[in-house]
Amino acid sequence: MIKLGENTFWLSGRTGITARAAVAGPIEGKGPLGEMFDKVYKDEKCGQTSWEMAEGQMLSDCLDTILVKGGKTPQEVDLLLSGDLLNQCMSTAIATRDRNIPTLGLYGACSTMAESMCIASLIMEGAATRNIICMTSSHYCSAEKQFRFPLELGGQKPKSSQSTVTGAGGNMLTWDGGNVCITAVTPGCVRDPGVTDSNNMGGAMAPAAATTIATHLKDTSRPPEYYDMILTGDLGELGKEMCGQLTMELGYDISKQLQDAGTMVYAPEESINTAGTSGCGCSAVVLNTVILDKLEKGELNKVLFVGTGALHSPALLNEKQPIPVIAHAVSIERR
Amino acid sequence: MELNIPKDKYKKRADDAVEKSDIWIDMLKAFVVGGIICTIGQVISFGAQNIGFTKEQAGTVTSIVLILMSAVATGFGWYDNLGRWAGAGSILPITGFANSITSPAMEYKSEGLITGLGVKMFIVAGPVLVYGISASVIAGILTYLISLV
C-alpha cells in the first residue's frame, strides 16, 4: 500500500469481495432491484414492535445472510464495520449484540457503505486479518422520526426531497479471495458548501462528490474512461446533474460514466414526487445487488463507488448552520 | 482539491436548481380542500343548532366533531395523504391541528405512554400552543387596560 497524490491510498488489490447481501422493505422490493434482494419484508415493521427495532432486524438479517453466503462462522470473522443513521448507531448495536464478533461502529451518514469499505481495505493491507464484514442500514420510518416529522403528519415536501431507503446491505472482504477486488480508496474531506435546505441533500452533497471524484482521478492519473461506471451514493436526479457539472468545472468530463444509486431503487411510479432515494441503505443495496453482480459476471470491469453523505443534524440546522457533507471513493475492479 | 465557488454563490446555485411548485395550483388545491373542511364544519354547526344547541354551544360541538374526525383519519393513515395533496388546505383548519397532535402520539407510542407519547405529543403543536396562549394573554391584558381608560 502506498499513499498516492493528495488523498488516495493505492492498494495491492489482494482484498476481494467474497460475499454480499442486501435486504429491503416492501416498496424497494417492488422496484427494479426487487428480484435481487436476499429478503424482502412484507411490511415496514419487519416483525418488530418499533421502527428502530425493525431497522436493527434488517441489519441483523443482512449479517446472517453474509455469514451464510460467505460460508464463515462468526469466529472466522476478524472484524465487523457497521454504521447507520440512528442516534448512537442504534441499529448496529441491535444487530451486533451477542454476536461475538469484534465490532467497530461508524458514522458517515449515507456514505457509510463506502466508508466501511475504505477502512476495511486499509486494515486488510496493514494487519493480519482474513475476513472483514462491512455493512450498513437505513429505514424510511426511523429516519423520518429522527430527522424530520412524524409519519402521519399531513404536510408537503418539495420535489428536490429524497426518500430514505428501507434496507440493509453489506459484504465480506477476504484477503486473496473473490474475483472482484478493491484497488484504491480515496477518503474524502468534510465540505461545507453553504447549503441550508434539508430538502435539497443532493445539491448539498454534489460538491463533496465532485471533489472526491476529481481528487481520485488526479491522484491515480486515471482518465474518467478508465472506469465503466462512476456510481455515486444518493445524490438523486438533481444532485447527480450538479455533480456532473462541478466535476466538469474541476477538469473531468464524467457524463458518460456517472450513475447515481439514488435513482435506481424505486420503481418509476414511486419516485414521481421525489428526486430519488437516499440513506445509508441506498448505496448499500444498489452496490451489493446489481453492481457487484455485474462485476462478478464481467458485465462491468471497473467501477468507482463514491458513497456520499450529508452529515445533517437537526440541532445544527436549527442553529442556522449549513449542512456539512462528505464523499469517499472506492475503486472496485474485476481481477 | 477544492471547488473555487464562494459559499453564498453555491447556495444560490443549489437553491435555484430546485424545481418550484406552481403557486396557483397549490392555492387552488388549498382553497378547495380547506373550503370542503369548513363546509363540513358548517353542516355540523347547523345540525347541532337544529337539535337544540345554542349557536355558541354548536361551535364547541363542531370543534369536537372535526377534531375527532381528523384524529380518526390520522389513525387510519389517510390524513397525511390528504395533506400531501392539499398543503395548507388541510394544515390550517382545526383538523390540521388535531393531526399535528395525533401523529406524534402515534409515532412515539413505542417509547412508552409517559416517556414517549406523553412527552413527545406536542413536538409539532407545541409552538402553536405556547405562542397562541401567550398572544391571547397579552391581548387580554391590553383589552383590560383599554377598558380602564
Side-chain angles (χ1 to χ4, degrees):
Chain A
M1 173 174 60
I2 51 166
K3 176 88 186 282
L4 214 59
E6 206 178 331
N7 289 332
T8 301
F9 295 91
W10 186 264
L11 309 178
S12 64
R14 292 177 68 180
T15 300
I17 300 169
T18 47
R20 58 188 167 85
V23 299
I27 299 174
E28 291 74 9
K30 287 186 195 121
L33 305 176
E35 297 278 299
M36 307 186 89
F37 292 128
D38 294 289
K39 183 171 185 177
V40 174
Y41 299 90
K42 282 195 195 81
D43 68 85
E44 273 94 355
K45 279 268 166 82
C46 310
Q48 297 295 318
T49 50
S50 70
W51 304 132
E52 292 80 9
M53 288 304 291
E55 187 177 332
Q57 183 63 45
M58 289 195 307
L59 196 56
S60 180
D61 289 345
C62 178
L63 176 56
D64 284 334
T65 315
I66 297 170
L67 288 169
V68 169
K69 283 169 110 177
K72 294 282 185 282
T73 61
Q75 289 71 36
E76 291 173 276
V77 179
D78 301 309
L79 206 52
L80 173 64
L81 304 181
S82 175
D84 54 89
L85 288 177
L86 299 186
N87 290 337
Q88 298 90 32
C89 286
M90 249 184 269
S91 318
T92 294
I94 294 166
T96 57
R97 58 189 178 190
D98 291 334
R99 291 287 192 157
N100 273 324
I101 304 175
T103 302
L104 302 179
L106 308 178
Y107 188 77
C110 314
S111 70
T112 307
M113 192 69 238
E115 183 186 7
S116 61
M117 289 172 76
C118 273
I119 299 172
S121 50
L122 289 173
I123 293 174
M124 280 237 160
E125 295 275 333
T129 48
R130 292 285 310 165
N131 303 299
I132 302 182
I133 290 179
C134 306
M135 61 179 198
T136 184
S137 69
S138 61
H139 193 300
Y140 176 78
C141 304
S142 60
E144 287 292 307
K145 181 180 169 185
Q146 179 176 304
F147 290 99
R148 295 184 185 94
F149 290 111
L151 285 179
E152 299 301 333
L153 185 72
Q156 286 179 318
K157 280 183 185 175
K159 265 192 173 174
S160 58
S161 71
Q162 292 169 259
S163 289
T164 306
V165 163
T166 301
N171 51 43
M172 179 148 62
L173 305 185
T174 304
W175 190 244
D176 283 339
N179 68 341
V180 175
C181 62
I182 298 174
T183 55
V185 294
T186 308
C189 308
V190 177
R191 306 279 171 200
D192 172 13
V195 177
T196 49
D197 180 3
S198 66
N199 281 313
N200 186 7
M201 295 294 199
M205 290 187 291
T211 43
T212 298
I213 293 168
T215 304
H216 175 85
L217 295 175
K218 190 179 171 216
D219 288 350
T220 55
S221 308
R222 287 171 175 171
E225 293 75 36
Y226 179 86
Y227 290 104
D228 300 319
M229 182 192 278
I230 296 176
L231 180 79
T232 50
D234 57 348
L235 296 177
E237 295 286 353
L238 192 155
K240 181 186 160 194
E241 203 183 312
M242 296 195 77
C243 174
Q245 290 167 7
L246 294 170
T247 316
M248 181 76 98
E249 286 165 31
L250 289 167
Y252 294 95
D253 180 4
I254 56 166
S255 54
K256 286 198 185 71
Q257 290 79 26
L258 186 62
Q259 298 277 338
D260 183 65
T263 63
M264 299 182 182
V265 181
Y266 277 4
E269 64 269 19
E270 279 295 337
S271 48
I272 292 171
N273 289 318
T274 65
T277 52
S278 64
C280 300
C282 179
S283 59
V285 301
V286 172
L287 177 77
N288 290 300
T289 53
V290 62
I291 305 298
L292 284 177
D293 186 62
K294 283 189 175 172
L295 277 161
E296 284 162 10
K297 288 179 182 158
E299 291 168 35
L300 287 170
N301 286 310
K302 297 174 171 76
V303 172
L304 185 65
F305 172 53
V306 185
T308 45
L311 305 171
H312 159 54
S313 134
L316 217 54
L317 212 61
N318 285 344
E319 291 166 16
K320 305 274 184 281
Q321 293 298 312
I323 302 164
V325 290
I326 196 161
H328 308 292
V330 182
S331 171
I332 308 172
E333 301 183 31
R334 220 178 123 78
R335 275 193 216 280
Chain B
M1 196 176 279
E2 271 184 84
L3 280 167
N4 291 319
I5 307 175
K7 278 178 196 177
D8 51 337
K9 237 181 180 168
Y10 183 76
K11 182 180 185 301
K12 193 173 175 308
R13 191 166 154 184
D15 289 346
D16 288 347
V18 176
E19 194 185 329
K20 305 282 180 298
S21 63
D22 188 334
I23 190 164
W24 295 103
I25 292 178
D26 287 351
M27 288 203 302
L28 182 70
K29 286 177 176 174
F31 177 77
V32 170
V33 173
I36 291 173
I37 293 172
C38 293
T39 311
I40 296 172
Q42 199 60 51
V43 169
I44 298 167
S45 174
F46 285 150
Q49 286 175 51
N50 265 347
I51 55 170
F53 287 102
T54 65
K55 199 176 176 190
E56 209 160 88
Q57 286 170 331
T60 312
V61 171
T62 309
S63 303
I64 293 170
V65 175
L66 282 177
I67 285 173
L68 177 71
M69 283 167 69
S70 165
V72 171
T74 305
F76 280 109
W78 301 331
Y79 206 87
D80 59 321
N81 296 329
L82 178 71
R84 203 166 299 144
W85 192 82
S90 61
I91 294 170
L92 280 185
I94 197 167
T95 48
F97 186 68
N99 167 254
S100 74
I101 294 177
T102 317
S103 57
M106 288 165 67
E107 191 92 340
Y108 288 94
K109 195 172 146 264
S110 65
E111 292 180 30
L113 287 177
I114 293 169
T115 49
L117 190 148
V119 172
K120 302 285 175 65
M121 200 163 171
F122 296 98
I123 52 164
V124 182
V128 182
L129 295 173
V130 169
Y131 297 110
I133 293 169
S134 305
S136 65
V137 167
I138 292 168
I141 294 170
L142 285 177
T143 315
Y144 174 69
L145 289 177
I146 291 167
S147 73
L148 288 181
V149 180

